[in-house]
Amino acid sequence: MALLLGVDTGGTYTDAVLLRDETEVIASAKALTTRADLAVGIGAAIRAVLAQSGVAPGDVSLASLSTTLATNALVEGQGERVGLVFVGFRPADLEQHGLRDALRGDPVALLGGGHNHAGGEAAPLDLAGLEAFLDAHAGTVSGYAVAAQFATRNPAHELAIARRIAERTGAPVTCSHHLSARLNGPKRAVTAVLNARLIGMIDRLIGRAQDVLGELGIDAPMMVVRGDGALMSAEQARARPIETILSGPAASIVGARWLTGAQDALVSDIGGTTTDVAVLRGGRPAIDPQGARAGGFRTMVEAVAMRTSGLGGDSQVHVQSEGLAGGVFLGPLRVVPVSLMARDAPEEVHAALDTQLRSTAPGEHDGRFVRALPGMARGDLAAREAGLLERIGAGVHPLGRILRSRMESGALGRLIDRGLVQVSGVTPSDASHVLGLLAAWDGEAAAKALTLMARRRTGSGDRLAASAPDLARMIVAQLTEQTAVTLLETAFAEEATVFGLPPDQLARHVLLHKGLGRHRGLLALDAALNVEVVGLGASAPTYYPAVGERLHCRMILPEHAGVANAIGAVVGRITMRRTGTVTAPAEGRFRVHLETGPEDFSAADDAMERLEAVLRADARQEALNAGAEGIQITVARDVRTVRAEAREVFVEATLTVEASGRPRDAIG
C-alpha cells in the first residue's frame, strides 16, 4: 500500500491531502498560506492532515508540491539579480519580447559569436569579452542566463560560456536551449533570464519544504508539479524553476480529471485571489501553443492554456456609485476579508467598526483596515513609503486613521505591491458569513462592515442596500455574473468557429445575455454553455450552483473540490519531452541538430532515425532521473515538404519524444 501526500500552496490557503494507492482520499486539511515563509504554512497543513488521518509520518512513500511561488514572483516583479550573456545579437534585440523589461536593469554582455540557421558558426565566440563581463560583475549577481543566436541549431557557444562561468564563479547558469528547442532567440533569452532569477527562490522553498518533511519524520522523495500538469523531481525543479509557473492551476486540472473522470469540460477553480479556467479535451488539459504567460512576460515554457481573472473569495468589493441604480463590482485585487482580520485582531477591528457605525455620515474608508507584514525585507523605500510604513508600525489600524492625504494612497499601493503591508476590506467571503454560508472567521465583524458599505449612496441618492444581508446577496449575485462571463470568454476563445469579435466582447454581448435570459418577444433567443463545468475550490459549492443555472449547463461539484490542487499534485505522471530538428541545408544533405553539434546524412529517413534515437534516450533518462517507472514512450513527427517540379522536396522535420510514467514510490 502506498500513502501519497499532496500539498498545494495557494494565495490564501495551503492544502494537504493523503491518498491511499491513488484510489482513495483518506484525509485533507487546510492552513493559511504564510507568504513570508511558505514552508510554515506547508508544515501546518501537513501536521493537520497527519493528525486527522492517524497515519504515521514514516508510512508516507511520496510527497508532491504545487506552488504559486514562481508565478507570484514574476507577477510581483520579485527575484534575484542576474546577468545575461547575449551572444550574436544586436543591441536592438534587447527590445524584443519584453527582454529589457525582464532584465529590470540587470547587467548584460553583448558578445560576438552565435551560429546561423544551418548550425554553422556565424562568428567566433568573444571569450575575452566574457572574461571582462565576469570581472566587472563578480559577486554582484546570483546567477547567469546565456542565450546565443541559433543555439537550438548548435548550442556549442552556450555550452562553452556555461562551462567558463561555472569554472570562474560557481554560480548557477541557465542555457536557453535547455528550456526550449524552438527558434526565437530574444524570447528564449526572456525565458532564461526569468529562470535564472527564480533559481534561488525555488531552491530555498524546496529546501525548507524538505526540512519540514524531515522534521515531521517523513522520509519520502519530493516531486514538484510543472505548468503542464506533469511531475518533475525536486532537483529538476531547482534547475528549471521557470517550468513551475502555473503549477497550481495545472494541478487543479489534473485533480479535476481524477475526481470526476471528465473527458471534455471546462474546469473552473475559484480561490481567494483568482478564478482560473481551463479546458479538458479527451481527458487532457489543453496546452497554450504560445507558451506560458506570467507577470506580463510570454515565455517558451509549455503550460496549460489558462484564462485567469482577478475574481475570488477574497476579491475587493467596489461600490459603483455612477448611475441611478448603483451596484458593486469585484476585483481584480485581493484584500484580507474583514472577518479574517477581526479573527486576528478582534478588539482593534470591532472598536473601529463600532465607532464608524455611530457616525451619521459614511466615511470613504469605513470598514477598511491596514497592517504591516513582519519579517519582509524592506529594501530601498522612497521617503513617502518609508514614512507611511513607519506610521503603520505594528498592529491593525483603520485605514482612514493612517492615510492623511490622497497622495498617500499611491504610496500605500506601492507598499502593497512590495508585499510589505496588507489591506482589509469587504469581500465575497464576508458576504458569505453574513448569509450563513460560511462560518470560518468572525461573522459579526463581517455584518458590521457590510452594514457600513450598505450606507453608501448611489447616483440617485438612495442607499446602496437596505441592510447587510441585502448587500451580501448583491455581492454573491455579482460573483455569479462575473464567473459566468469568465467561463464564456474561455468558451469563445476555444471555439473552432470564428464569430468576428474578441472573446471578451462576445462574452458580454447583449444578444448572448438576452439568450441566456431566454428572451421572448418578436425574437426568441436561447443560449447555453454546451459543455459541462467542473467547479473547484473551497467556495465552489457555495457559489457555483447559481453559475450552472445562469449558463444552463451541468455543474459538477466533486466531493473534494476544495483540495483538488493538492490531489492533482500527487496523482499526476512524470512526463519528459524532448524536441529536435532535421533541416536540409543543401540538396541531398539532411542535418540533425544535436546537443553535441550538427550531424549530416544523405537520406532524410536516416537523419530522422538518428534524431529519434537520441531524443528517446534523453527523454527516457530524464524520466528515470525523476523517479519514473513503467515508462511509455510516444513519438510525433512533423515533416514539412514542398512540391517542386512534380516531386515532394524535404524542407524540415520536427520530432517530439515523450517519456511518461508514474513515480516509483507511488506504486504500492
Side-chain angles (χ1 to χ4, degrees):
M1 179 183 72
L3 289 174
L4 314 178
L5 172 66
V7 179
D8 172 70
T9 63
T12 303
Y13 284 108
T14 294
D15 301 332
V17 298
L18 273 172
L19 273 69
R20 180 184 290 115
D21 290 333
E22 299 182 37
T23 59
E24 178 188 2
V25 176
I26 59 176
S28 64
K30 290 179 176 289
L32 286 171
T33 295
T34 48
R35 296 207 46 186
D37 182 357
L38 292 176
V40 174
I42 290 172
I46 294 174
R47 288 184 183 90
V49 83
L50 289 174
Q52 184 188 131
S53 66
V55 166
D59 291 341
V60 175
S61 56
L62 179 73
S64 188
L65 173 70
S66 69
T67 173
T68 60
L69 179 62
T71 307
N72 290 346
L74 297 183
V75 169
E76 296 166 7
Q78 298 175 355
E80 299 178 344
R81 179 177 166 87
V82 300
L84 170 64
V85 183
F86 206 35
V87 182
F89 294 97
R90 304 164 300 161
D93 292 323
L94 289 169
E95 311 303 327
Q96 302 296 316
H97 298 284
L99 179 53
R100 179 82 68 184
D101 292 334
L103 283 164
R104 298 199 329 245
D106 289 356
V108 183
L110 283 162
L111 302 183
H115 293 78
N116 58 35
H117 70 282
E121 188 175 76
L125 178 59
D126 180 10
L127 287 173
L130 174 64
E131 298 291 345
F133 179 70
L134 297 178
D135 289 338
H137 300 285
T140 68
V141 297
S142 65
Y144 294 87
V146 183
Q149 191 173 41
F150 285 108
T152 55
R153 296 294 169 84
N154 190 335
H157 287 181
E158 283 196 1
L159 295 172
I161 291 168
R163 284 193 298 269
R164 186 56 184 152
I165 292 175
E167 292 167 0
R168 279 282 310 269
T169 71
V173 184
T174 298
C175 291
S176 75
H177 77 279
H178 285 157
L179 299 176
S180 176
R182 289 181 286 167
L183 298 178
N184 194 328
K187 194 172 179 182
R188 281 201 322 277
V190 169
T191 308
V193 164
L194 298 178
N195 188 79
R197 200 181 297 291
L198 291 169
I199 283 176
M201 299 177 69
I202 290 289
D203 181 71
R204 287 190 293 274
L205 171 63
I206 291 174
R208 290 281 290 115
Q210 290 175 327
D211 289 344
V212 167
L213 292 176
E215 291 165 6
L216 293 172
I218 297 174
D219 182 21
M222 191 170 87
M223 310 297 294
V224 179
V225 182
R226 287 198 319 236
D228 62 356
L231 303 181
M232 63 198 305
S233 71
E235 291 310 309
Q236 290 167 334
R238 280 180 152 125
R240 302 192 300 275
I242 191 71
E243 294 184 7
T244 69
I245 61 176
L246 299 181
S247 162
S252 74
I253 302 170
V254 175
R257 173 74 176 84
W258 187 87
L259 285 168
T260 67
Q263 292 292 312
D264 299 287
L266 292 183
V267 179
S268 185
D269 184 4
I270 181 170
T273 308
T274 62
T275 292
D276 301 313
V277 183
V279 180
L280 269 176
R281 285 200 179 96
R284 302 187 67 172
I287 301 297
D288 190 338
Q290 299 183 58
R293 180 185 287 276
F297 302 109
R298 177 71 75 175
T299 70
M300 299 187 85
V301 173
E302 285 191 345
V304 294
M306 182 72 59
R307 187 170 289 267
T308 298
S309 65
L311 178 66
D314 299 343
S315 290
Q316 183 175 358
V317 177
H318 301 273
V319 174
Q320 293 181 309
S321 56
E322 299 82 6
L324 295 179
V328 294
F329 187 80
L330 312 181
L333 297 181
R334 174 186 180 271
V335 294
V336 178
V338 174
S339 50
L340 176 55
M341 189 70 87
R343 190 204 67 172
D344 296 342
E347 292 183 8
E348 295 91 335
V349 171
H350 278 283
L353 291 172
D354 290 340
T355 298
Q356 292 165 2
L357 284 168
R358 286 194 293 270
S359 174
T360 56
E364 180 183 2
H365 301 299
D366 282 358
R368 302 186 70 198
F369 299 86
V370 63
R371 68 181 172 192
L373 288 174
M376 302 299 289
R378 291 179 49 159
D380 296 326
L381 291 177
R384 191 181 300 277
E385 284 81 16
L388 188 59
L389 188 59
E390 186 72 22
R391 193 185 310 155
I392 294 171
V396 173
H397 309 279
L399 185 58
R401 188 182 300 165
I402 296 297
L403 294 181
R404 296 174 180 171
S405 69
R406 291 195 176 275
M407 293 182 65
E408 289 187 338
S409 295
L412 178 66
R414 289 186 287 275
L415 290 174
I416 294 170
D417 291 342
R418 293 279 295 272
L420 296 174
V421 303
Q422 287 181 322
V423 168
S424 173
V426 172
T427 68
S429 296
D430 294 310
S432 293
H433 276 83
V434 170
L435 295 175
L437 303 174
L438 188 62
W441 305 319
D442 190 330
E444 184 183 357
K448 291 177 180 179
L450 264 73
T451 299
L452 286 166
M453 181 174 279
R455 300 195 309 182
R456 302 276 293 273
R457 298 291 173 175
T458 66
S460 66
D462 295 330
R463 288 169 54 110
L464 176 64
S467 65
D470 286 340
L471 177 58
R473 283 186 282 271
M474 184 187 300
I475 292 169
V476 171
Q478 184 62 28
L479 179 64
T480 298
E481 185 63 22
Q482 288 182 225
T483 301
V485 168
T486 301
L487 288 166
L488 290 168
E489 281 189 37
T490 303
F492 279 117
E494 298 296 328
E495 268 281 3
T497 303
V498 177
F499 290 92
L501 288 173
D504 61 328
Q505 293 183 30
L506 289 166
R508 294 167 175 80
H509 200 285
V510 61
L511 289 178
L512 174 64
H513 285 267
K514 289 295 185 183
L516 291 172
R518 300 295 195 247
H519 172 80
R520 292 296 182 270
L522 295 179
L523 293 174
L525 299 176
D526 293 294
L529 192 63
N530 193 32
V531 66
E532 58 192 20
V533 176
V534 179
L536 303 179
S539 60
T542 300
Y543 302 127
Y544 277 18
V547 175
E549 293 176 9
R550 172 69 172 144
L551 297 176
H552 308 290
C553 67
R554 183 187 176 210
M555 179 64 67
I556 303 173
L557 299 169
E559 179 184 357
H560 299 287
V563 291
N565 292 37
I567 292 171
V570 79
V571 300
R573 294 175 65 84
I574 293 171
T575 302
M576 298 295 164
R577 297 182 191 87
R578 290 295 178 267
T579 300
T581 306
V582 176
T583 60
E587 188 171 356
R589 183 149 51 106
F590 303 92
R591 179 164 293 172
V592 183
H593 299 276
L594 302 174
E595 175 91 355
T596 53
E599 295 181 12
D600 288 347
F601 294 82
S602 58
D605 287 343
D606 292 342
M608 287 189 286
E609 288 298 324
R610 168 63 174 154
L611 178 59
E612 181 177 324
V614 171
L615 296 178
R616 277 178 173 269
D618 287 351
R620 181 178 180 80
Q621 189 58 53
E622 273 288 277
L624 287 171
N625 292 344
E629 279 190 348
I631 296 173
Q632 299 174 329
I633 293 180
T634 59
V635 181
R637 292 188 178 189
D638 179 14
V639 182
R640 286 189 286 158
T641 61
V642 296
R643 190 158 187 83
E645 297 180 356
R647 65 189 181 95
E648 294 293 325
V649 177
F650 180 96
V651 175
E652 185 175 291
T654 301
L655 275 66
T656 300
V657 173
E658 183 176 287
S660 180
R662 279 293 290 149
R664 66 176 65 94
D665 297 282
I667 302 172

